[in-house]
Amino acid sequence: MTDADGLTVGQVATALALTVRTLHHWDEVGLATPSLRTNAGYRLYTAADLERLHRIVVYREIGLGLEQIRAVLDEPDADVALALRGQRDEVTRHLGRLEQLRTGLDRMIEAHERGILLTAAEQAAIFGPEWNPDWPAMARRRYGDTVQWQQYAERSASRTPDQWRELTAAMTDLDAELAAAMTAGDAPGSERADELVERHRTAVSGFFPVSRSMQVCLGRMYEADPSFTAHYERLSPGLTSWLRRSIDASACAHGIDPETAAWE
């Protein structure tokens, strides 16, 4: 091809894997303007035009903006190396952000599959001797297709061992206060019992959001599930029933019929 020859916009677009719209835009902003015209007034790109376009494509692919490219190509005192170093630094920062994103995605995937991102030793140290490391896998098999498991996994993905310790300590303290309130004779529906029921709902909501209606369902589950019953009965005989009745009484006070309460 010689300078006397020329390529149409469509031919150049095909040759450089660009769109005609892109070439028109570059023409409009004065970045790459065809040098020739046909007798009918159509613009044609010369060999020199095509070489400029090749350079624009290269610089665009490494992330330079159009004004940066214009400076590199047209300003005689432009420091090309400086512009490229700046772009390299931006790429490095972007790669760092992408690496953080990949790490977050890996943790999210693992949390959805495992539930708790702690080693067996960390689980034993944080959750205590009663903890069964198989429980998260059992919970996933049972609840893995629920919204609550997804919420649980999303929170677990970003939870640190220290945050697990804080959450576990809060649950342990609450359990002790529940047992103490029952032993002291605080009846379901009393001010003290209602306060503890609300604290219980807040604590469980650390794993996934729990409404009062859902809390009623949890109270039913505590009585029906041997592992939960054993946990509360070890704290104080009769505590499972007391907690369930206290949850029911609090629900009634908030206009919820425990008999028709549903998991939301």
Side-chain angles (χ1 to χ4, degrees):
M1 175 179 173
T2 69
D3 286 344
D5 301 320
L7 294 178
T8 65
V9 173
Q11 289 171 324
V12 171
T14 300
L16 298 182
L18 298 170
T19 65
V20 170
R21 181 177 180 180
T22 294
L23 289 172
H24 281 159
H25 176 65
W26 291 355
D27 182 9
E28 290 168 3
V29 299
L31 180 64
T33 299
S35 298
L36 299 178
R37 284 183 181 272
T38 67
N39 293 332
Y42 294 109
R43 292 193 168 189
L44 299 176
Y45 290 87
T46 66
D49 295 336
L50 195 59
E51 175 59 28
R52 181 180 177 89
L53 284 169
H54 275 294
R55 296 183 68 195
I56 292 171
V57 169
V58 168
Y59 284 122
R60 189 182 71 157
E61 286 181 348
I62 63 173
L64 291 184
L66 296 187
E67 289 306 313
Q68 291 175 299
I69 295 173
R70 188 198 306 277
V72 167
L73 298 183
D74 296 337
E75 294 181 12
D77 58 347
D79 190 334
V80 177
L82 180 63
L84 294 177
R85 286 193 181 95
Q87 183 60 20
R88 181 193 60 190
D89 292 342
E90 178 58 33
V91 169
T92 299
R93 287 189 290 271
H94 184 58
L95 288 174
R97 292 192 292 270
L98 288 176
E99 183 62 32
Q100 291 176 345
L101 177 60
R102 184 175 70 173
T103 298
L105 287 170
D106 286 342
R107 286 185 61 84
M108 187 69 74
I109 291 168
E110 190 177 5
H112 276 275
E113 293 176 344
R114 292 179 48 202
I116 297 177
L117 303 187
L118 297 172
T119 65
E122 287 174 327
Q123 291 181 47
I126 293 173
F127 303 138
E130 294 181 10
W131 177 257
N132 181 346
D134 294 331
W135 281 341
M138 295 166 59
R140 182 176 184 270
R141 287 194 296 269
R142 186 172 180 179
Y143 305 112
D145 60 347
T146 66
V147 171
Q148 285 71 38
W149 177 265
Q150 295 170 11
Q151 294 167 328
Y152 172 78
E154 289 162 3
R155 297 181 183 196
S156 177
S158 60
R159 188 164 281 152
T160 66
D162 283 343
Q163 289 173 326
W164 277 113
R165 289 187 185 91
E166 292 173 4
L167 187 58
T168 302
M171 294 294 292
T172 300
D173 291 345
L174 175 61
D175 284 346
E177 292 192 47
L178 288 169
M182 187 197 74
T183 301
D186 291 301
S190 65
E191 181 178 352
R192 177 62 174 152
D194 285 345
E195 176 193 344
L196 290 171
V197 166
E198 189 58 26
R199 280 183 54 191
H200 170 270
R201 190 168 70 89
T202 299
V204 178
S205 292
F207 300 102
F208 54 83
V210 176
S211 67
R212 289 188 171 85
S213 181
M214 293 166 69
Q215 189 181 25
V216 170
C217 296
L218 287 176
R220 299 282 190 272
M221 184 189 71
Y222 294 159
E223 284 192 318
D225 189 307
S227 61
F228 281 102
T229 300
H231 167 75
Y232 286 113
E233 295 306 300
R234 274 194 297 269
L235 293 171
S236 184
L239 182 57
T240 315
S241 175
W242 182 88
L243 176 57
R244 192 269 302 163
R245 289 183 288 113
S246 295
I247 291 173
D248 286 357
S250 177
C252 287
H254 287 89
I256 297 171
D257 181 358
E259 296 303 319
T260 60
W263 192 262
E264 300 168 339

